[in-house]
């Protein structure tokens, strides 16, 4: 028999969709993936999720929502979806050799922050290297940090960081920013922000935590060690939509297009969280959109019965 709803992805969006659909007695099957929990698993203290006045570690927050979804009967499978067929109902979802049929699907596969791809960047992730100024900025109070990237995210986050830090050096690989004019003006006006142009990061320095970065000027070839206590990486995100490409409407950057809440162009297929949102990208907005997707899905299934 076909499932009523399958949820793919297990960040705050997918888990909240799981919680709500479970409470609606839809017995959701949540395919959470091997790297369950999404981007919150990469963060330390989450201080801006309502309901946790003392803050909560990212992985603990995920464990809480997961537990809550399970309490109401969500079934979780910790494996990756390998193929989906959204061309006809019931939809078909494959997990390796297992195949599931479902009346509806909620896509919540999230987005992954792009990284520079350096060995030490990975090693020092959460120990000075971070991809989220909103989450981690306050830990760098009074310090000097570097921000890599030249887009709106890099500048917006650099401006945000100036609330806490002594200085932000924006490292950009060209001598022209990609960010919008208004953001550029705001950043250039801010006395705590300076720019290092035409430079790439060759290495992240530090034993137990970040102490600096090695910079190479791509015009002159000059290499120098640059001292900083944190490295913020804001070189864009990649939505995790490879599985759905060619089957569902995506925008030019690969994010799922939603309308009227969480609906996609395919009736019965809903999307929530960062896989369809490159603007807000917060745990709480992801959770909120997971709730919307669950309610939209519930109404859709009711309309099939009606
Ligand atoms: P983005 O616009 O794609 O910018 C990414 C930046 O990272 C670019 O400057 C790029 O350099 C640089 N970069 C990429 N790969 C790199 C690498 N391997 N090494 C060094 N630098 C690298 O991404 P985004 O800033 O995340 O913005 C995404 C979208 O959201 C944009 O449409 C943006 O306008 C929007 N957004 C809007 C706001 C706002 O309006 N408040 C805030 C945030 C984001 P190059 O310039 O040389 O390619």
């Amino acid at each position: 028999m076909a499932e009523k709803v399958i949820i793919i992805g297990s960040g705050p969006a997918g888990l909240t969709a799981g919680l709500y659909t479970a409470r609606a007695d839809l017995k959701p099957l949540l395919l959470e993936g091997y790297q369950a929990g999404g981007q919150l698993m990469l963060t330390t203290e989450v201080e801006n999720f309502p309901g946790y006045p003392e803050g909560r570690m990212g992985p603990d927050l995920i464990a809480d929502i997961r537990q809550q979804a399970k309490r109401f009967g969500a079934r979780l499978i910790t494996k990756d979806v390998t193929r989906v067929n959204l061309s006809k109902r019931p939809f078909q979802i494959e997990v390796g050799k297992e195949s599931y049929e479902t009346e509806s699907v909620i896509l919540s596969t999230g987005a992954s922050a792009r990284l520079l791809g350096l060995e030490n960047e990975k090693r020092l992730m959460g120990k000075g290297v971070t991809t989220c100024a909103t989450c981690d900025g306050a830990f760098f109070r009074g310090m000097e940090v570097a921000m890599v990237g030249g887009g709106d995210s890099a500048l917006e986050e650099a401006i945000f960081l100036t609330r806490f830090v002594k200085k932000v050096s924006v490292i950009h690989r060209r001598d022209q920013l990609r960010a919008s004019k208004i953001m550029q003006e705001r950043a250039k006006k801010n006395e705590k922000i300076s720019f290092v142009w035409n430079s790439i990061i060759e290495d992240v320095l530090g034993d137990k935590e970040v102490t600096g970065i090695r910079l190479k000027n791509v015009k002159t070839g000059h290499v120098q060690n640059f001292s900083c206590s944190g490295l913020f990486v804001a070189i864009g995100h990649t939505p995790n939509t490879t599985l759905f490409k060619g089957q569902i409407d995506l925008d030019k950057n690969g994010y799922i297009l939603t309308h009227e809440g969480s609906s996609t162009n395919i009736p019965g297929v809903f999307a929530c969280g960062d896989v369809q949102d490159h603007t807000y990208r917060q745990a709480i907005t992801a959770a909120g959109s997971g709730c919307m997707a669950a309610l939209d899905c519930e109404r859709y299934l009711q309309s099939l019965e009606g």
Side-chain angles (χ1 to χ4, degrees):
M1 234 198 28
E3 300 285 343
K4 286 190 183 131
V5 54
I6 284 183
I7 300 164
I8 308 178
S10 58
L15 290 175
T16 304
L19 165 64
Y20 270 76
T21 49
R23 281 177 56 83
D25 211 19
L26 297 176
K27 302 184 172 48
L29 181 63
L30 208 153
L31 303 172
E32 59 176 358
Y34 286 117
Q35 289 187 320
Q39 292 181 69
L40 278 187
M41 302 301 278
L42 304 175
T43 61
T44 48
E45 188 101 346
V46 180
E47 292 180 324
N48 55 9
F49 201 94
Y52 293 95
E54 306 300 326
R56 190 91 173 118
M57 296 300 278
D60 294 340
L61 180 54
I62 285 295
D64 291 344
I65 315 177
R66 194 172 181 272
Q67 194 53 37
Q68 203 175 348
K70 277 175 83 171
R71 178 179 153 206
F72 295 104
R75 293 161 298 147
L76 279 74
I77 296 181
T78 315
K79 286 184 183 169
D80 283 340
V81 170
T82 44
R83 213 173 78 87
V84 301
N85 183 352
L86 305 176
S87 65
K88 59 177 185 351
R89 277 215 356 261
F91 306 114
Q92 216 178 23
I93 314 288
E94 289 177 19
V95 178
K97 289 190 183 125
E98 305 279 332
S99 182
Y100 301 92
E101 289 193 332
T102 182
E103 294 297 331
S104 67
V105 195
I106 296 178
L107 306 176
S108 49
T109 45
S112 306
R114 245 183 253 148
L115 293 173
L116 298 167
L118 302 166
E119 193 75 7
N120 284 328
E121 173 191 42
K122 208 161 122 192
R123 185 176 60 80
L124 292 166
M125 183 61 69
K127 296 168 186 149
V129 178
T130 162
T131 54
C132 181
T134 323
C135 327
D136 297 331
F139 300 122
F140 295 85
R141 207 174 283 277
M143 299 182 193
E144 296 194 6
V145 300
M147 166 72 68
V148 58
D152 279 323
S153 294
L155 296 198
E156 188 173 67
E157 297 196 2
I159 294 166
F160 174 78
L161 283 175
T162 59
R163 296 181 196 187
F164 312 102
V165 303
K166 198 158 112 196
K167 185 182 170 198
V168 189
S169 301
V170 176
I171 317 288
H172 187 36
R173 61 184 176 184
R174 295 187 291 138
D175 60 3
Q176 276 189 353
L177 294 164
R178 179 175 295 278
S180 55
K181 279 272 156 345
I182 181 156
M183 201 71 85
Q184 292 195 28
E185 278 164 20
R186 267 187 224 154
K188 285 177 178 166
K189 235 176 30 199
N190 192 312
E191 284 174 0
K192 285 188 174 178
I193 298 178
S194 64
F195 291 86
V196 181
W197 303 108
N198 299 312
S199 295
I200 56 168
I201 298 176
E202 280 199 330
D203 202 1
V204 187
L205 312 172
D207 182 18
K208 292 208 167 61
E209 52 190 35
V210 172
T211 54
I213 50 182
R214 194 164 72 232
L215 287 180
K216 180 179 177 182
N217 185 305
V218 289
K219 287 254 160 86
T220 63
H222 178 67
V223 175
Q224 59 161 327
N225 285 352
F226 186 92
S227 167
C228 58
S229 307
L231 172 63
F232 288 79
V233 183
I235 59 172
H237 281 75
T238 312
N240 301 320
T241 46
T242 313
L243 275 177
F244 322 125
K245 232 168 235 165
Q247 302 198 48
I248 196 165
D249 285 353
L250 305 176
D251 72 10
K252 66 179 185 347
N253 295 316
Y255 289 84
I256 297 175
L257 283 167
T258 50
H259 58 92
E260 290 166 28
S262 65
S263 301
T264 68
N265 63 310
I266 306 174
V269 180
F270 304 90
C272 53
D274 285 13
V275 74
Q276 50 86 55
D277 166 30
H278 52 78
T279 309
Y280 300 105
R281 298 197 311 228
Q282 300 300 300
I284 186 63
T285 51
S289 75
C291 163
M292 285 161 63
L295 297 178
D296 291 342
C297 179
E298 199 183 327
R299 275 185 209 124
Y300 168 79
L301 291 171
Q302 262 167 11
S303 77
L304 293 183
E305 285 168 14

